[in-house]
């Protein structure tokens, strides 16, 4: 049986699939949430799911008793948000949001990044997966500018100093080196600019953190800007042969493995 005893408001919002617990807290403190028609900004406020009426920006929130979990192979060019006031392309257009209410992305991928993006209605599990304590591994395929060798690899493996602190050790595997497909303008630059490389290197990078633009900043720091970035795995989940722009439900086995991975009760 689901737990319907009184609970703190941010926990209720997370359970209902409105957002992760942390995002629910900022919705509350910024005055978006009403309980029984009164705005509540106190984070400790408790609600009774059986009797209290909770609304976020006027929309009624009800506990979702059966959650949904999907993975999307996000193409580049789509923003990771469910709502863009400027009307740009978002991942919302690629997922079954009419069929499954309350899906939200777990973490984010940049506009130009493609690959595995997880969605769920389960704010509790999302919270566990995103919490630094969970140490969930994210594996990326990076196409890095230039000839990427052992020196930058060693730096990333031990951690580099970014503007928001030293990164935790990353797993780095160096893949193929190839020649860039140069545009006529880049060919001109190659001839004129000694620092411009005609080479690019495929690198597989696994990190456990999820800071903003982290992989791009790490590679920039070691002098090899990212030319292309895709996420191949999130914890035990792999993108496999899911076509770009397509989604699928997680299997029961995948969901169980995901929960175990961040220490969530199975
Ligand atoms: N790191 C980045 O720099 N960008 C992403 O989209 C994901 C990880």
């Amino acid at each position: 049986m689901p737990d319907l005893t009184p609970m703190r408001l941010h926990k209720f919002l997370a359970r209902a699939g409105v957002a992760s617990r942390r995002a629910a807290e900022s919705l509350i403190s910024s005055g978006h949430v009403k309980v029984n028609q009164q705005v509540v900004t106190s984070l400790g406020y408790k609600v009774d799911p059986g009797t209290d009426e909770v609304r976020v920006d006027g929309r009624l929130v009800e506990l979702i008793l059966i959650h949904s979990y999907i993975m999307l192979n996000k193409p580049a060019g789509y923003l990771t948000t469910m709502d863009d006031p400027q009307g740009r392309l978002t991942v919302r257009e690629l997922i079954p949001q009419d069929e499954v209410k309350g899906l939200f992305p777990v973490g984010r991928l940049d506009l130009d990044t493609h690959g595995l993006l997880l969605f769920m209605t389960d704010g509790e599990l999302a919270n566990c997966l995103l919490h630094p304590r969970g140490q969930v591994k994210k594996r990326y395929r990076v196409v890095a500018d230039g000839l990427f060798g052992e020196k930058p690899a060693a730096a990333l493996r031990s951690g580099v100093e970014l503007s928001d602190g030293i990164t935790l050790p990353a797993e780095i595997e160096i893949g193929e080196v190839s020649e860039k497909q140069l545009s006529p303008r880049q060919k001109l630059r190659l001839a004129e600019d000694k620092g411009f490389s005609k080479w690019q290197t495929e690198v597989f990078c696994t990190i456990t953190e999820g800071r903003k633009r982290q992989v791009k900043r790490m590679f920039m720091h070691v002098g090899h800007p990212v030319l292309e970035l895709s996420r191949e795995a999130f914890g035990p989940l792999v993108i496999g042969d899911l076509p770009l722009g397509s989604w699928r439900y997680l299997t029961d086995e995948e969901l169980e493995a995901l929960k175990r991975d961040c220490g969530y009760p199975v």
Side-chain angles (χ1 to χ4, degrees):
M1 270 298 282
D3 176 12
L4 291 178
T5 54
M7 63 184 84
R8 287 171 64 175
L9 186 51
H10 69 289
K11 189 168 172 186
F12 173 86
L13 294 175
R15 285 250 174 108
V18 171
S20 67
R21 274 205 213 176
R22 258 182 289 173
E25 284 179 350
S26 57
L27 280 174
I28 297 167
S29 42
S30 53
H32 289 267
V33 184
K34 278 187 178 172
V35 179
N36 304 326
Q37 278 145 53
Q38 300 292 320
V39 174
V40 172
T41 52
S42 150
L43 295 179
Y45 194 90
K46 276 198 169 178
V47 285
D48 181 339
T51 55
D52 288 330
E53 184 196 87
V54 179
R55 289 182 184 266
V56 174
D57 292 331
R59 251 177 302 160
L60 184 65
V61 179
E62 286 170 300
L63 280 190
I64 297 171
L65 302 182
I66 300 175
H67 283 297
S68 299
Y69 309 85
I70 70 169
M71 70 161 83
L72 168 74
N73 190 349
K74 175 196 171 299
Y78 287 80
L79 282 175
T80 305
T81 174
M82 294 300 277
D83 180 32
D84 181 49
Q86 294 175 47
R88 291 168 293 182
L89 271 184
T90 73
V91 291
R92 186 185 173 90
E93 276 129 86
L94 301 169
I95 59 161
Q97 29 103 20
D98 291 332
E99 191 181 312
V100 188
K101 299 282 177 227
L103 282 171
F104 60 85
V106 180
R108 68 177 60 216
L109 291 178
D110 295 338
L111 181 67
D112 55 355
T113 302
H114 52 102
L116 200 164
L117 186 60
L118 189 61
F119 289 79
M120 56 183 65
T121 57
D122 185 343
E124 298 272 288
L125 178 58
N127 194 50
C128 181
L129 292 165
L130 294 175
H131 199 284
R133 196 181 44 225
Q135 295 264 308
V136 175
K137 288 185 176 184
K138 274 84 58 175
R139 177 178 159 96
Y140 295 89
R141 176 181 176 271
V142 179
V143 179
D145 193 27
L147 292 168
F148 185 100
E150 277 307 321
K151 202 170 159 212
L156 296 179
R157 284 184 192 124
S158 35
V160 290
E161 176 88 52
L162 300 181
S163 55
D164 48 2
I166 299 181
T167 56
L168 288 177
E171 290 169 28
I172 300 290
E173 273 169 60
I174 303 176
E176 307 255 294
V177 172
S178 57
E179 227 172 295
K180 286 184 202 160
Q181 302 279 332
L182 296 180
S183 66
R185 236 174 105 200
Q186 287 172 318
K187 282 188 183 147
L188 214 63
R189 249 193 94 190
L190 181 64
E192 288 169 354
D193 176 355
K194 296 233 175 320
F196 188 84
S197 174
K198 66 174 180 174
W199 302 107
Q200 59 185 25
T201 312
E202 178 183 52
V203 183
F204 297 95
C205 170
T206 302
I207 56 174
T208 54
E209 298 168 284
R211 305 190 213 165
K212 212 168 176 195
R213 295 168 51 80
Q214 181 165 346
V215 175
K216 288 180 188 161
R217 291 190 292 135
M218 285 164 59
F219 278 70
M220 181 64 98
H221 185 89
V222 294
H224 294 273
V226 169
L227 303 176
E228 193 187 324
L229 184 63
S230 61
R231 183 152 70 193
E232 300 196 319
F234 185 100
L237 308 178
V238 289
I239 197 68
D241 53 12
L242 184 65
L244 204 57
S246 300
W247 64 271
R248 68 168 176 80
Y249 287 105
L250 300 194
T251 63
D252 291 346
E253 292 74 26
E254 283 174 326
L255 180 57
E256 195 179 317
L258 193 62
K259 288 181 176 172
R260 284 192 200 288
D261 202 63
C262 70
Y264 190 84
V266 177

